[in-house]
Amino acid sequence: MTVAPRQIDPPEHRFADELAFLAAADPGPRPPGWLMTPRAVVTFIAGGSVEGRVIEPKFIGDRALVERCVVTLAGERGLLLVGEPGTAKSMLSELLSAAICGTSALAVQGTAGTTEDQLRYGWNYALLLASGPSPDSLVASPILTAMTTGAVARVEEITRCLPEIQDALVSIMSERRISVPELAGQEGAVRYATPGFCLIATANLRDRGVSEMSAALKRRFNFEVVPPIADLDAEVALVTRQARAAVERGGATFAVDEAVIDTLVTAFRDLRTGVSAEGWEVERPSSVMSTAEAVAVGASIGLAAAYLPGPDPLSLLPGHLLGVVRKDDPADAARLLAYWDGALRRRAEAGSRMWRQLWEQRDVLRD
């Protein structure tokens, strides 16, 4: 059967050959239900060399962080990935799931409208009305499916769920079973977790609309903080690679000079950290200047250069930066202008051509 083209392939499909190779290459001990060894999972995510084959890293970050995540899941503990928006928490959870059980699809997206049914189970109401509660009329949630198949379940943005909904996970994670009172006396009245089941959740604790997790639920998780990328060159390479992929998915050729991406990422890092590479103080906007936002800007500049040729791609950067900082607070436009008049101007005066060109676009920020 022909598979329709996808905008983004899940990791279990995109890296299927690599996953199969790693599973076969390392015959070491595996936790129950795992498709490959913990060591192979770390190599798949953080990169390495196996039998002369180079495995490129897919998550740019601390290898020790990945190792701690893998050990947590091998011990069947819940894993909570915490960090600023745009730090690749969801991507890391997908990669872990794909490597451990072969699918990243058993996921629930947490929102203020998430219900307990989405975390536990629901019903096919046509069958329910026709024949009453039965195993056939029960609709398993992704978490229940993961429990009964020994797979990894994911809950994205868990702190966006209401606290009483979050707490539906407490008994699941401690007792490793879900009771279905409607099926009392029938087969399947209690669904038990099989070996391999574990849960990964993500949370942007700084984000708006979050709900505090209960102490009982927190105790069921090992917390791991996923920080922004520390190394400038690594972040530039990542933004370039992902922006190019986004432009090529749009049917165009990526033709943005590396120096433009370097300047873009440097500006994001200055505004994210509140200090420039030279040590100059920078007023931080309230908006999150994440790597993911930098990728989006890089892709937009690349698409504009491909489809609307004319202006220098660098000249498009101020307008896109303004759009990013205005997302949370329109007053952040003044902070961006202060950055232009501070660190950026000093770089321009020091003779940097790229920063001088940006300085000349200052009036864009006054629109």
Side-chain angles (χ1 to χ4, degrees):
M1 183 177 69
T2 302
V3 177
R6 302 183 178 106
Q7 287 186 324
I8 299 177
D9 248 354
E12 58 267 26
H13 295 165
R14 196 183 335 157
F15 305 112
D17 178 66
E18 196 170 272
L19 288 166
F21 166 76
L22 287 169
D26 189 345
R30 310 175 185 191
W34 284 39
L35 298 180
M36 62 176 68
T37 67
R39 178 171 53 192
V41 174
V42 173
T43 301
F44 171 67
I45 296 171
S49 178
V50 178
E51 296 183 357
R53 177 170 175 173
V54 175
I55 306 298
E56 295 294 336
K58 297 155 193 69
F59 171 76
I60 307 301
D62 186 6
R63 190 182 190 92
L65 166 65
V66 178
E67 291 174 348
R68 290 195 302 271
C69 292
V70 170
V71 168
T72 292
L73 297 172
E76 297 183 336
R77 283 279 293 174
L79 173 64
L80 182 61
L81 302 174
V82 180
E84 299 281 349
T87 50
K89 299 181 296 300
S90 295
M91 183 184 76
L92 178 55
S93 76
E94 288 183 345
L95 291 169
L96 287 164
S97 302
I100 291 170
C101 69
T103 180
S104 60
L106 298 174
V108 176
Q109 179 61 53
T111 70
T114 300
T115 65
E116 188 171 330
D117 290 358
Q118 292 171 269
L119 299 181
R120 291 166 57 84
Y121 60 87
W123 297 97
N124 179 324
Y125 286 101
L127 289 176
L128 187 67
L129 292 172
S131 56
S134 69
D136 289 339
S137 59
L138 185 141
V139 178
S141 70
I143 293 174
L144 180 53
T145 300
M147 288 180 64
T148 55
T149 59
V152 180
R154 302 189 299 116
V155 181
E156 295 291 335
E157 306 285 6
I158 189 173
T159 52
R160 287 195 172 277
C161 301
L162 296 175
E164 59 268 26
I165 304 302
Q166 295 178 23
D167 282 345
L169 296 172
V170 173
S171 61
I172 293 174
M173 298 180 68
S174 57
E175 299 170 7
R176 300 285 160 160
R177 62 178 181 262
I178 291 180
S179 297
V180 186
E182 297 90 342
L183 297 182
Q186 301 183 54
E187 183 181 354
V190 180
R191 306 296 176 96
Y192 294 93
T194 57
F197 167 66
C198 47
L199 183 68
I200 305 174
T202 65
N204 294 324
L205 297 184
R206 169 183 160 176
D207 227 356
R208 293 176 180 173
V210 300
S211 299
E212 179 67 19
M213 294 173 66
S214 68
L217 185 56
K218 287 179 180 178
R219 287 196 299 271
R220 270 70 182 180
F221 284 101
N222 284 356
F223 281 55
E224 289 293 344
V225 177
V226 182
I229 298 173
D231 182 69
L232 172 63
D233 291 340
E235 188 169 8
V236 169
L238 176 64
V239 171
T240 302
R241 183 169 64 251
Q242 294 198 356
R244 175 180 287 111
V247 170
E248 290 175 351
R249 284 199 304 271
T253 300
F254 187 72
V256 178
D257 190 89
E258 183 179 341
V260 174
I261 300 297
D262 188 284
T263 304
L264 181 161
V265 173
T266 300
F268 265 79
R269 292 170 68 90
D270 292 345
L271 293 164
R272 179 194 307 152
T273 61
V275 61
S276 72
E278 299 86 351
W280 304 326
E281 185 176 349
V282 174
E283 190 174 3
R284 295 175 60 187
S286 57
S287 297
V288 178
M289 307 299 292
S290 67
T291 302
E293 289 281 8
V295 169
V297 171
S300 295
I301 291 173
L303 288 167
Y307 288 128
L308 304 170
D312 179 356
L314 185 65
S315 68
L316 303 175
L317 179 55
H320 285 291
L321 275 174
L322 186 60
V324 172
V325 301
R326 277 178 168 168
K327 284 185 177 182
D328 284 344
D329 184 357
D332 280 339
R335 296 185 177 93
L336 183 60
L337 189 60
Y339 171 64
W340 237 255
D341 291 339
L344 194 150
R345 178 181 58 82
R346 294 173 74 173
R347 287 177 181 147
E349 291 174 346
S352 169
R353 180 182 63 84
M354 301 294 287
W355 295 101
R356 187 167 60 251
Q357 284 182 246
L358 275 183
W359 169 251
E360 292 169 355
Q361 300 293 322
R362 181 181 182 277
D363 286 346
V364 173
L365 304 181
R366 291 189 171 278
D367 292 347

